[in-house]
Amino acid sequence: MARPTARPVLNAAKEIGDQVTTWRKLLGLTAEQVAERAGISRETLRRIEHGDPGVNFAAVLSVSRGLGLLDRIVTATDPYETDLGRARADQALPQRVRRSG
């Protein structure tokens, strides 16, 4: 039996869906145009815009690409774009070994 989706995940999915809708409208695109650009059905786009957390991850990324947001999402999740990520990466990554010759 599947576990219920956590409330913070549901809230985030709803907020992202609202933001996708807003971006689509700001860009002057119809739902049909975005769905076509993303290579998904209008129904799948509707589910994304309504915050359905069960939508395929590739579909969400495809819509993001169709709206010109994909690079921003990739950057937003890059640990090297944060102070913590850069600091921890310096600690966690193995140092290069120099050979004397």
Side-chain angles (χ1 to χ4, degrees):
M1 187 163 156
R3 297 172 108 186
T5 304
R7 177 59 49 195
V9 173
L10 293 172
N11 292 342
K14 175 71 173 121
E15 188 171 344
I16 290 169
D18 290 344
Q19 292 168 357
V20 165
T21 303
T22 300
W23 270 109
R24 177 175 61 75
K25 291 177 179 180
L26 286 171
L27 293 169
L29 298 170
T30 66
E32 185 173 324
Q33 289 170 315
V34 172
E36 186 176 312
R37 284 182 178 192
I40 61 172
S41 69
R42 280 266 296 108
E43 175 59 21
T44 300
L45 178 61
R46 186 196 68 73
R47 289 176 57 207
I48 291 169
E49 289 188 346
H50 284 89
D52 180 345
V55 175
N56 181 297
F57 188 56
V60 175
L61 295 177
S62 294
V63 168
S64 299
R65 181 177 175 265
L67 295 172
L69 303 172
L70 187 57
D71 290 341
R72 293 177 73 184
I73 291 172
V74 171
T75 299
T77 59
D78 182 351
Y80 295 110
E81 292 292 322
T82 68
D83 292 339
L84 175 63
R86 286 187 295 271
R88 293 299 300 254
D90 289 343
Q91 294 172 2
L93 295 178
Q95 299 297 316
R96 183 175 174 187
V97 177
R98 291 187 177 198
R99 295 180 190 239
S100 58

